[in-house]
Amino acid sequence: CRHFRSFQSCRGAVSMADGADAVDLENWMSQLPERILRERSICELALPGAHNAGANSVECIPSTTLAPYMGETLAKSSVIQMLARPIASGPARCQSESVSTLLRRGIRFLDFRLGLHQDEIRICHTVVCSTTYQTVLSEIRDFLENHPEELVVLLIKRDWEHKYFDTAHNWSSVQEMLIEELGGMLMLGDDMKQPISQLVKENRRVLAMLEMRNGEHLCGVLATSRNLKCSWSSHVMTVADQMKQIKSWCSDGMILPQPGCLKLLELAIPGVPYFSAPKMQAAFREFLNNTTLHVATKIDFPETETIQKLVQMNWIPRS
């Protein structure tokens, strides 16, 4: 039988299997205890997640973004693009690794922001990133084909600064590419309540949630206020602000998992993610020393220690 060790949470003493310390992050879902797989839905797991996944390098800056600062003519200049790209890279880059690498490191929630560049759907974060939407879908498919007991959650939306993307044609293309790459594995809305073991058995292992503003719904799950709740707040500016928001979710009971509703803890703050991410994650890990949670997270530049700590939460019995 398994041995357990105890520590304190905000709701009292909890126990975790010692085996959780030795989990292989690349295959961590397949190593979950049978009881967890039978009893919990995808919405009841602690999911390490990547905020703005795929935003790891800058291709260009849309002239519409630069124009308010220097006029349309200069905004289209290749010289201006070359000079502005390194400056824009600081706040735009939220990751340093490919989606494939993030998945192998244990990430199971991917936050994608989309825009259109030269008739190609790209990952965007105000800037146009070098990564294409097609590329990330292919990497997810390849990972899942080689890891038949792992599940992945996607949140797909248009990037805030790319409002022109919201056309019926573009959203039709987004869904058609999803079907082409992941079609047989895509979950339906009711699958958000089904146990993990059932989803693995039936090979429905991708929860793709779409924040569509236009067009016909063809696949995946439309994100609504009933099936998706996020701790994001426009008032958060610092690590202290973000931790206050997270603790508020804990005290209000919002942090409790709910079958059929994906809950997301935001761990990103405004500024330059490369510099803010380590401080944010250190504060969050300290919080996890005294708290249990079974929800998804969105993290900039996720560190292995943070991923590991979140994965280990899944071995802790819920009170």
Side-chain angles (χ1 to χ4, degrees):
C1 64
R2 291 178 182 267
H3 296 283
F4 291 83
R5 55 190 173 85
S6 296
F7 58 96
Q8 292 298 116
S9 80
C10 60
R11 296 191 298 277
V14 296
S15 299
M16 181 169 68
D18 287 335
D21 290 333
V23 168
D24 175 10
L25 293 178
E26 184 170 341
N27 300 280
W28 68 262
M29 285 185 166
S30 67
Q31 299 165 73
L32 287 169
E34 284 297 325
R35 179 181 56 81
I36 300 296
L37 295 171
R38 289 195 310 269
E39 295 178 358
R40 293 189 197 175
S41 67
I42 190 67
C43 300
E44 298 169 275
L45 294 180
L47 298 175
H51 177 243
N52 284 325
N56 51 20
S57 63
V58 178
E59 176 81 10
C60 67
I61 307 167
S63 58
T64 52
T65 300
L66 291 174
Y69 303 98
M70 57 188 65
E72 291 185 12
T73 301
L74 281 177
K76 295 177 181 178
S77 165
S78 60
V79 174
I80 293 297
Q81 282 281 338
M82 181 180 65
L83 294 173
R85 195 178 298 123
I87 299 171
S89 180
R93 288 179 65 244
C94 297
Q95 306 296 331
S96 60
E97 299 168 313
S98 68
V99 164
S100 179
T101 299
L102 289 169
L103 289 169
R104 290 197 303 271
R105 292 184 59 224
I107 293 295
R108 292 296 179 269
F109 172 85
L110 298 164
D111 169 40
F112 292 132
R113 318 292 177 90
L114 305 180
L116 201 66
H117 176 61
Q118 297 180 346
D119 295 325
E120 187 174 41
I121 300 176
R122 293 287 191 101
I123 300 299
C124 295
H125 187 205
T126 301
V127 303
V128 174
C129 299
S130 302
T131 310
T132 69
Y133 176 57
Q134 179 72 58
T135 296
V136 299
L137 293 182
S138 296
E139 290 181 349
I140 293 165
R141 182 203 63 215
D142 290 346
F143 175 81
L144 290 173
E145 286 179 350
N146 289 305
H147 301 79
E149 296 181 64
E150 302 297 305
L151 286 74
V152 177
V153 179
L154 317 178
L155 178 59
I156 302 171
K157 62 179 80 172
R158 64 113 168 124
D159 184 62
W160 182 253
E161 294 294 336
H162 294 249
K163 295 179 174 61
Y164 60 84
F165 184 80
D166 279 327
T167 67
H169 173 75
N170 286 340
W171 277 109
S172 177
S173 296
V174 167
Q175 295 176 88
E176 287 169 2
M177 292 166 74
L178 256 181
I179 293 169
E180 181 181 347
E181 294 290 343
L182 303 169
M185 292 184 279
L186 292 172
M187 295 184 200
L188 302 175
D190 288 344
D191 291 328
M192 295 176 70
K193 298 179 181 179
Q194 298 302 315
I196 300 297
S197 59
Q198 186 70 21
L199 296 176
V200 170
K201 180 181 178 181
E202 299 179 5
N203 198 31
R204 296 198 303 278
R205 297 186 290 129
V206 180
L207 173 57
M209 303 193 75
L210 306 169
E211 290 193 6
M212 288 175 54
R213 298 170 185 263
N214 210 339
E216 181 184 359
H217 177 219
L218 304 175
C219 69
V221 177
L222 286 178
T224 69
S225 59
R226 297 185 64 181
N227 63 19
L228 178 67
K229 298 186 187 298
C230 183
S231 69
W232 181 86
S233 168
S234 60
H235 301 295
V236 169
M237 294 292 161
T238 66
V239 171
D241 291 341
Q242 194 66 277
M243 291 311 304
K244 182 179 179 181
Q245 178 73 359
I246 290 171
K247 290 173 182 176
S248 173
W249 255 45
C250 186
S251 61
D252 292 346
M254 282 295 294
I255 208 168
L256 296 176
Q258 180 183 341
C261 178
L262 186 74
K263 295 189 176 182
L264 280 172
L265 278 186
E266 182 86 29
L267 298 184
I269 59 175
V272 180
Y274 182 80
F275 295 114
S276 62
K279 295 178 182 178
M280 183 69 247
Q281 290 179 70
F284 184 62
R285 289 195 299 268
E286 182 68 24
F287 171 75
L288 291 181
N289 286 336
N290 301 296
T291 310
T292 60
L293 61 81
H294 297 98
V295 297
T297 56
K298 293 197 292 183
I299 310 170
D300 288 330
F301 295 98
E303 299 171 353
T304 297
E305 187 178 355
T306 306
I307 297 172
Q308 202 160 32
K309 211 168 186 67
L310 281 164
V311 167
Q312 289 172 350
M313 288 282 141
N314 293 300
W315 271 255
I316 300 173
R318 292 207 308 262
S319 59

